[in-house]
Amino acid sequence: MARVGLTTDRVVRAGAELADEVGFDQVTASELARRFDVKVASLYAHVKNSQDLRTRIALLALEELADLAADAVAGRAGKDALVAFANVYRDYGREHPGRATAARMRLDPETAAASAGVRHAQMTRAILRGYDLGEPDQTHAVRLLGSVFHGYSSLELAGGFSHSAPDSEESWTRILDALDALLRNWPATPTP
Amino acid sequence: MARVGLTTDRVVRAGAELADEVGFDQVTASELARRFDVKVASLYAHVKNSQDLRTRIALLALEELADLAADAVAGRAGKDALVAFANVYRDYGREHPGRATAARMRLDPETAAASAGVRHAQMTRAILRGYDLGEPDQTHAVRLLGSVFHGYSSLELAGGFSHSAPDSEESWTRILDALDALLRNWPATPTP
DNA sequence: TGCATTTGCCTAAAGCTTTTAGGCAAATTA
DNA sequence: TAATTTGCCTAAAAGCTTTAGGCAAATGCA
């Protein structure tokens, strides 16, 4: 019997492509097997189960995103860095909707701690060095940026901003302008 | 044979509770049937298929959220309204994680247009009347707020902010302070 | 109250996905 | 070339989804 040359890596990559084509939650071992022209059981030598497959796709997406982000911010600072960084997330979500959804998947704490997710947080902090924020405000800002990137990408993917003016492109630009202004002018803790 | 008294409404409500208990994507017709002590096929008289069930749970969640939000903002304005509104989203996500995930589900355009989603957008606009924003900036701000609420809730649910200082509560408060400051001070479109 | 109709839940069955166990042949190593 | 490892296979069990057809309970009407 001819061997197709399955490896965990190839299976996960094919899973990521499948996710982009049919949606992350339509990724099944069966469909993947069909694409490799292989029996389903054969896949189970390379991933523990279908949950494991999905988790690996998520980890792959997080790494790809982190690599792209690292590239984008290299040699930039201030608003320039912020915009480049933010666009990586948005563009990734539009080019790879399945992977992007995967990247938003809930991971158990240990898996998350060992994932490229930590690089994302570090890079966000690095960008904030271009603004004058001490702790704990820097952490608040990291969380705010994460929420906006995450949320915008997800709403845009869900079609929330299509079919209505102004177009998403313009909102995105202006939101980044606004975030930049906010970070330059972060309000002091109000005295209660 | 004793009748349990299934209706579409009861099935969907039970589905929403199940979602909160086991996670939205673990909601299956089989499990629901088990809880009603009924055969699976019986459910299919009340929902078209399992996708229909999930969509109906999402619509229920959107309505509940809109009702809560409407209550919360009644009689409030400015930052007070913003904070009350925002807290509805965050609290709902923490009290009803499954429903909240459902509310973030991708709906097809017609379904979305007929959903309580439009009330959410209207209420967000109403809150922004407390700030001095013209069009198209008001729309940009609606999208920003949607992204933040959506994103923060989703990250918090995924455990992104637990096990690290400062606690999520504090970040949330400070992020709302920051958004209020931003809306009061929305930057003009930069001249290119 | 008695009868007709509607409705609610059932059984049956087919098709699909997941997952495990065990086997044989191809690839690798010695 | 022989021994070992590895890759893919068949088989099979178990669960979820969905449709079709049937019977009995609830409802409506004379």
Side-chain angles (χ1 to χ4, degrees):
Chain A
M1 335 232 110
R3 297 193 178 191
V4 182
L6 295 184
T7 62
T8 299
D9 195 66
R10 283 193 64 203
V11 168
V12 173
R13 269 172 211 291
E17 276 160 39
L18 179 58
D20 286 335
E21 287 174 40
V22 302
F24 183 55
D25 32 45
Q26 309 297 322
V27 172
T28 73
S30 301
E31 179 58 30
L32 220 45
R34 248 171 257 128
R35 299 201 166 200
F36 276 114
D37 199 23
V38 146
K39 298 297 171 181
V40 202
S42 306
L43 292 185
Y44 282 82
H46 303 282
V47 294
K48 267 213 298 291
N49 50 46
S50 80
Q51 183 54 40
D52 180 46
L53 169 63
R54 276 187 282 274
T55 300
R56 285 175 188 273
I57 294 174
L59 294 175
L60 170 65
L62 284 173
E63 288 222 9
E64 285 185 353
L65 253 176
D67 290 346
L68 289 168
D71 252 31
V73 300
R76 295 185 208 268
K79 183 177 179 183
D80 203 30
L82 176 70
V83 170
F85 188 65
N87 279 330
V88 165
Y89 286 93
R90 176 160 180 257
D91 292 346
Y92 193 79
R94 306 202 306 167
E95 285 160 28
H96 301 292
R99 286 160 151 97
T101 301
R104 287 191 282 268
M105 190 180 110
R106 181 183 202 143
L107 298 174
D108 59 287
E110 316 96 74
T111 310
S115 76
V118 299
R119 279 170 69 202
H120 291 265
Q122 286 166 354
M123 283 189 282
T124 310
R125 279 209 143 71
I127 284 174
L128 290 176
R129 274 201 281 280
Y131 299 89
D132 195 30
L133 291 174
E135 283 301 354
D137 285 326
Q138 194 176 87
T139 301
H140 301 322
V142 168
R143 291 172 178 179
L144 171 62
L145 291 181
S147 300
V148 175
F149 299 162
H150 190 106
Y152 196 93
S153 182
S154 161
L155 290 178
E156 187 171 41
L157 192 64
F161 306 148
S162 40
H163 315 304
S164 63
D167 69 19
S168 181
E169 202 60 35
E170 189 189 329
S171 283
W172 180 244
T173 305
R174 297 291 289 121
I175 284 173
L176 293 182
D177 289 342
L179 288 175
D180 172 63
L182 175 60
L183 293 172
R184 275 188 285 104
N185 240 328
W186 190 264
T189 309
T191 48
Chain B
M1 337 234 106
R3 296 190 176 192
V4 182
L6 295 184
T7 63
T8 300
D9 196 67
R10 284 193 64 204
V11 168
V12 172
R13 271 173 210 292
E17 276 160 39
L18 179 58
D20 286 335
E21 287 174 40
V22 305
F24 183 56
D25 33 44
Q26 309 297 321
V27 172
T28 72
S30 301
E31 179 57 30
L32 220 44
R34 246 171 259 129
R35 299 202 166 198
F36 276 113
D37 200 22
V38 145
K39 298 296 170 180
V40 202
S42 307
L43 292 185
Y44 281 83
H46 304 281
V47 294
K48 266 214 299 292
N49 50 47
S50 80
Q51 183 56 39
D52 180 45
L53 170 63
R54 276 187 281 273
T55 300
R56 284 174 188 275
I57 294 174
L59 294 176
L60 170 66
L62 285 173
E63 287 223 8
E64 286 186 351
L65 253 175
D67 291 345
L68 289 168
D71 251 31
V73 301
R76 294 183 207 269
K79 183 177 178 183
D80 203 30
L82 175 70
V83 169
F85 188 67
N87 279 330
V88 165
Y89 286 93
R90 176 161 179 257
D91 292 346
Y92 193 78
R94 306 202 304 168
E95 284 159 28
H96 301 292
R99 285 160 151 97
T101 301
R104 288 191 282 269
M105 190 178 112
R106 180 183 203 144
L107 299 174
D108 60 287
E110 316 97 74
T111 310
S115 76
V118 298
R119 279 170 69 204
H120 290 268
Q122 286 166 354
M123 284 190 281
T124 310
R125 279 208 145 70
I127 283 173
L128 289 177
R129 276 201 280 280
Y131 299 89
D132 195 30
L133 290 175
E135 284 299 356
D137 285 326
Q138 195 177 87
T139 301
H140 301 323
V142 168
R143 291 171 177 179
L144 170 62
L145 291 181
S147 299
V148 175
F149 299 161
H150 189 107
Y152 196 93
S153 183
S154 160
L155 290 177
E156 187 171 41
L157 192 64
F161 306 148
S162 41
H163 315 305
S164 63
D167 68 21
S168 181
E169 203 58 36
E170 190 189 327
S171 283
W172 181 245
T173 304
R174 297 292 289 122
I175 283 173
L176 293 182
D177 289 342
L179 288 175
D180 172 64
L182 175 60
L183 293 172
R184 277 188 285 103
N185 239 328
W186 191 264
T189 309
T191 47

